[in-house]
Amino acid sequence: VAWIAASIAERMGLMGSSMQSLIAGSFLHDVGKIGIPDAILLKPGKLDSEEFSIMRTHVEHGMEIVTGMGWLHDASDVVAAHHEKWDGTGYPNNIKGVDIPLSASIFAVADVFDALCSKRPYKQPLSFDVTMSILEKDTGSHFNPAVMAIFRKIAKETYDRLENCTESEVCELLKNRVRKHFGL
């Protein structure tokens, strides 16, 4: 997900500390799930309303972990806002439009794309075409239209690049991106 988010951000001109914050946030976006019971995290089926309410608290838990913690604090925009939606119906703060940090809007596209294309305990991976139809349908409601305009141009290339990658190949792609943006 960090590699996908950085790929989008590069094409949007993010550099320096903005890119570093996006990458750090990508790594740490769900750190608050450490406070969510395994019975909810690993549930193979759909969460009920009470379970979903508990799951949503991972954002606040995450903010408690990263806020004021040196370099971890740089991840706070993505941690805090990766579930906000362009139309204001997201959580936890119902912020909308350009009030959502750009890094969080970029990450949201990357995260949903990855989630839809990947196997999960509760679902099989979706095809590229089905995934893109969902992202397109939700552009302007869930997703920032400017981010989707960029992602749309690289989506198929991204999907093709990752579809048959081994875990070690994905790690190498990410290492290269981290080296580039952190000067390592």
Side-chain angles (χ1 to χ4, degrees):
V1 177
W3 183 81
I4 297 168
S7 297
I8 298 167
E10 286 174 351
R11 284 158 183 86
M12 294 189 79
L14 263 68
M15 301 177 351
S17 63
S18 296
M19 180 64 84
Q20 291 171 354
S21 295
L22 169 65
I23 292 170
S26 296
F27 286 132
L28 295 169
H29 72 283
D30 276 343
V31 68
K33 286 186 177 177
I34 196 167
I36 306 299
D38 283 348
I40 294 173
L41 284 177
L42 303 174
K43 184 176 179 179
K46 188 174 178 170
L47 301 178
D48 65 30
S49 61
E50 182 180 339
E51 292 166 332
F52 187 66
S53 182
I54 293 167
M55 178 65 85
R56 289 172 59 141
T57 67
H58 83 277
V59 175
E60 288 87 5
H61 293 309
M63 286 305 295
E64 290 171 12
I65 292 168
V66 302
T67 300
M69 296 297 293
W71 75 271
L72 293 181
H73 185 80
D74 292 342
S76 63
D77 281 350
V78 173
V79 172
H82 70 281
H83 286 293
E84 299 292 354
K85 294 183 179 181
W86 191 250
D87 64 5
T89 62
Y91 68 90
N93 297 311
N94 303 104
I95 57 177
K96 67 180 179 177
V98 296
D99 291 335
I100 301 169
L102 180 58
S103 59
S105 289
I106 291 168
F107 181 78
V109 170
D111 191 36
V112 172
F113 179 80
D114 177 69
L116 294 173
C117 292
S118 299
K119 182 179 165 91
R120 297 287 195 252
Y122 52 87
K123 70 166 213 49
Q124 291 298 310
L126 300 179
S127 71
F128 174 77
D129 291 335
V130 170
T131 296
M132 286 308 294
S133 71
I134 292 168
L135 291 175
E136 292 291 354
K137 177 182 70 66
D138 290 341
T139 297
S141 58
H142 188 155
F143 304 112
N144 178 330
V147 174
M148 275 301 297
I150 298 299
F151 183 64
R152 194 176 290 118
K153 296 174 186 176
I154 65 167
K156 183 65 170 138
E157 170 189 336
T158 300
Y159 180 86
D160 290 344
R161 179 68 181 102
L162 296 174
E163 182 181 28
N164 295 310
C165 271
T166 64
E167 187 172 339
S168 64
E169 290 169 331
V170 171
C171 286
E172 194 58 36
L173 287 172
L174 186 54
K175 283 180 191 177
N176 291 336
R177 189 78 17 94
V178 168
R179 285 185 195 112
K180 175 181 178 179
H181 293 292
F182 285 83
L184 303 173

